[in-house]
Amino acid sequence: MATTELGAALRHWRDHVSPQVVGLSAGGRRRAAGLRREELSQLAGISADYITRLEQGRATKPSPQIVASLARALRLTQDERDHLFHLAGLAPPGPGTVPQHITPGVHRMLDRLTGTPVAVFDAAWNQLLANPLYTALMGEWHGDDLNAVWRNFLNPHSRVRKTPESKGALQAAQVADLRRTAGRYPDDPNLHSLIAELRRRSAHFDSLWESGAVGEHEAVRKTVDHPQVGALTLDCDVLSVAGSDLRIMVYTAQPDTEDANRLALLSVLGTQLLTG
């Protein structure tokens, strides 16, 4: 089957990423040590058929979003990611756009936090990566709901309990955060589109944006009403990654509490809940 430089590069990187490195089981008979297309599909959120067509040269014009997702799933370095963009005939993201690259070091850190719900967001609060326990805790999001600001203004469904005061403080902090992000990344069309759509669809967001609302994300305690294990009260901390503007959201339970026991139970049930 004919291929392209892009297809050959994707196949090379896929063959050199072991399932264990990306947190997958290596069980069963495998013809190669690398990832199967179905596994890369799962990690990148892209259909296995499209990955096949890219590797075989039958698809040659992937979108920037697809290339970025493949780079994250394959755990490429920034130089490797930029090379993948060039092979796809695309310019790598420039300094005026919101960074979405997750370094191998951040990936490895998340690998060591399997018993802790962790998710990685970019500076516009797009969820780039979540470990299985975070997804089991908070639910699995798709489409526009992968953006935390969008969810908090436009999606009424959440497992997190909110008072009017806590919801208002979070929304003000998110609007202030987006305003700062827009100032740092003036050339990002997706960010401009997100803000315009939020202003159009949410009168409250538009009012906060016009008012110049200020706020900061702070460490808080949140109660999550989980449908299987019940209520968990957890500490939520947001950590910043120097040089990339990524935000790592971490949920932890106070030791020797019922919340810790329920979180431990969820870590056991998590895979079953996600596949059930």
Side-chain angles (χ1 to χ4, degrees):
M1 177 67 70
T3 187
T4 60
E5 284 190 80
L6 172 63
L10 285 174
R11 178 62 187 267
H12 169 80
W13 278 317
R14 181 168 64 81
D15 285 346
H16 286 79
V17 177
S18 70
Q20 298 94 324
V21 165
V22 295
L24 298 175
S25 170
R29 300 183 63 180
R30 307 180 72 93
R31 289 184 295 176
L35 294 175
R36 299 184 176 110
R37 290 192 182 101
E38 292 76 13
E39 292 167 335
L40 179 56
S41 167
Q42 174 188 341
L43 293 166
I46 299 166
S47 75
D49 175 69
Y50 188 69
I51 291 172
T52 299
R53 288 189 286 125
L54 282 172
E55 289 187 356
Q56 294 178 347
R58 293 185 289 119
T60 58
K61 297 183 182 297
S63 69
Q65 292 79 13
I66 284 178
V67 175
S69 295
L70 287 168
R72 284 194 296 271
L74 291 166
R75 303 199 175 189
L76 303 185
T77 66
Q78 186 157 319
D79 287 342
E80 290 169 336
R81 181 210 64 174
D82 290 352
H83 182 55
L84 187 62
F85 268 86
H86 287 306
L87 290 177
L90 299 167
T97 59
V98 176
Q100 292 192 323
H101 180 62
I102 300 177
T103 65
V106 171
H107 276 293
R108 288 191 292 269
M109 181 177 68
L110 265 64
D111 291 341
R112 287 159 174 76
L113 295 174
T114 54
T116 303
V118 185
V120 181
F121 296 82
D122 67 14
W125 286 102
N126 295 302
Q127 181 179 303
L128 304 177
L129 180 67
N131 70 0
L133 187 51
Y134 182 95
T135 303
L137 175 69
M138 305 303 292
E140 189 167 14
W141 301 106
H142 302 279
D144 291 331
D145 285 329
L146 282 167
N147 183 273
V149 186
W150 180 280
R151 286 203 310 271
N152 284 324
F153 280 93
L154 296 175
N155 188 338
H157 305 292
S158 173
R159 293 178 181 176
V160 179
R161 292 183 194 174
K162 296 186 181 77
T163 64
E165 294 76 17
S166 68
K167 183 174 182 177
L170 175 60
Q171 289 179 330
Q174 287 180 327
V175 171
D177 211 15
L178 273 190
R179 186 181 294 106
R180 287 189 291 269
T181 298
R184 285 196 299 273
Y185 305 104
D187 302 327
D188 194 305
N190 293 325
L191 175 59
H192 293 315
S193 176
L194 170 67
I195 293 169
E197 191 69 2
L198 284 167
R199 296 189 68 178
R200 185 181 71 84
R201 296 188 57 174
S202 170
H204 185 46
F205 180 95
D206 187 58
S207 175
L208 289 172
W209 188 268
E210 285 291 332
S211 72
V214 296
E216 295 284 348
H217 289 277
E218 298 178 350
V220 294
R221 303 204 84 198
K222 295 183 181 182
T223 298
V224 180
D225 289 312
H226 194 276
Q228 274 75 33
V229 302
L232 304 92
T233 298
L234 306 171
D235 290 309
C236 176
D237 291 274
V238 178
L239 314 177
S240 298
V241 181
S244 69
D245 231 357
L246 296 178
R247 292 88 189 273
I248 301 178
M249 184 175 290
V250 183
Y251 283 90
T252 56
Q254 187 174 350
D256 302 318
T257 62
E258 184 61 30
D259 298 306
N261 293 338
R262 289 179 177 176
L263 188 58
L265 175 61
L266 185 58
S267 70
V268 175
L269 298 178
T271 301
Q272 300 172 24
L273 295 173
L274 289 175
T275 59

